[in-house]
Amino acid sequence: MTAMNQTRTTPNLHLRPPELLLQTDEHCDYGPAIDMWSAGCVFAKLHGKRVMEGKDKADQMYKIWDLCGSANEFNWPGVSKLPKYDEFKPLKPMKRCVREVLSDLDPYALELLDRMLTHDPSKRISAKEAPEEAYFSTDPPPSDPKSLPKYESSHGSWVLSGKDSSDGGPHPDHKVQGRGSCTSSPCTSQGHVLQTDASSTHDASPGAVGDSYGVNARPAPR
C-alpha cells in the first residue's frame, strides 16, 4: 500500500500521529505509517497504559512531545517544514521518555511499542517488520484462536432508544453526519438524534453505519 489521499484525518484524536497533527486537513497524505502509530496507541492500552490522551489538537500534540520527545530536524528531517510545526512546537526541547515512563512493561512489548511510537514515519516500524519482533516469538506463545471466546460482531450496529421504522429497524434513508443529526423524519419526529465522532458524512444504511471509522451511532441526550 502506498501513501495517498485516502482520508483527511483519523476520527479518534488520541490515535493521530504527529505527521497528521502537524499538517492541515487539506494536505494530509494517509500512509501505512499512520496506522502503525495508531496501532501503537492501541497496543499500549491493551497493556493497561492509557497514553497521550489530549483534550484537543494542541493538548494532544503536547502529550506526544511530553512522552516521545520534541521533534526536530535531527530526529525527523523535514518536520520544521510541516504547516503547523511552529504553532505546536514546544517552548523548550523535551526528552523522549517512552522507555522510562513505561518501564514496567514486558521488555519485548516495550521494544515493539517504542518502535511504533517513532516520530519520523519513515523510521517507524512497518506492519511487515513488526511480526519479526521478539515480542511475537517469545513465551508465552499466542493463544490458540479456537480457545478464545467468541462474541457477536457489533460492526455497524445501531444503538437507538426506540424503533425508527415499521419493521423495528433503522430507517433506510438515515444519514449519519459528524456530530449532527439524523436527517429523516421518522427519526427526528421521535426525538432520535444519531451522533458519531467522525468528521465526515456517512451514508448509514441498515447494518452499515460509521462504525468503519471506529465509532458507533448513538442517540444524543434528550
Side-chain angles (χ1 to χ4, degrees):
M1 175 179 170
T2 58
M4 62 184 74
N5 281 324
Q6 287 191 309
T7 64
R8 295 177 69 174
T9 186
T10 54
N12 192 321
L13 177 64
H14 300 160
L15 302 183
R16 293 182 197 175
E19 64 265 31
L20 281 186
L21 292 165
L22 296 178
Q23 295 187 71
T24 61
D25 289 343
E26 292 75 20
H27 300 89
C28 288
D29 291 331
Y30 198 113
I34 289 175
D35 290 335
M36 293 309 297
W37 177 280
S38 300
C41 297
V42 174
F43 185 69
K45 288 185 179 182
L46 290 174
H47 286 79
K49 306 296 183 181
R50 302 181 68 89
V51 298
M52 301 180 294
E53 297 188 344
K55 300 185 295 291
D56 51 41
K57 289 183 179 180
D59 189 45
Q60 182 65 25
M61 199 66 250
Y62 174 80
K63 291 185 183 301
I64 290 176
W65 297 145
D66 190 44
L67 180 67
C68 301
S70 50
N72 51 51
E73 288 296 323
F74 176 75
N75 58 30
W76 184 359
V79 66
S80 63
K81 295 181 175 62
L82 294 177
K84 294 191 176 183
Y85 177 75
D86 288 334
E87 177 183 348
F88 289 149
K89 70 179 181 181
L91 298 177
K92 60 181 180 180
M94 303 177 77
K95 182 182 178 182
R96 184 176 180 86
C97 56
V98 174
R99 291 179 178 270
E100 291 80 2
V101 171
L102 305 175
S103 59
D104 57 333
L105 284 181
D106 171 90
Y108 298 119
L110 182 56
E111 174 66 24
L112 176 58
L113 180 60
D114 192 33
R115 296 191 65 190
M116 287 194 282
L117 299 182
T118 298
H119 281 318
D120 187 345
S122 69
K123 299 175 183 175
R124 197 174 297 152
I125 192 170
S126 69
K128 184 178 181 179
E129 296 168 331
E132 302 301 321
E133 285 289 299
Y135 175 81
F136 294 106
S137 58
T138 53
D139 290 332
S143 300
D144 183 343
K146 295 180 181 178
S147 70
L148 300 177
K150 294 179 175 57
Y151 303 97
E152 183 179 352
S153 174
S154 62
H155 180 78
S157 62
W158 287 80
V159 183
L160 301 173
S161 58
K163 296 182 178 180
D164 292 311
S165 61
S166 58
D167 62 359
H171 193 278
D173 294 328
H174 285 174
K175 289 184 183 295
V176 180
Q177 298 177 341
R179 304 205 70 82
S181 62
C182 171
T183 58
S184 64
S185 56
C187 180
T188 54
S189 64
Q190 299 184 49
H192 299 157
V193 181
L194 303 182
Q195 295 183 329
T196 76
D197 291 327
S199 58
S200 303
T201 299
H202 315 299
D203 287 330
S205 55
V209 74
D211 197 35
S212 60
Y213 288 76
V215 294
N216 285 312
R218 61 187 184 277
R222 295 188 179 185

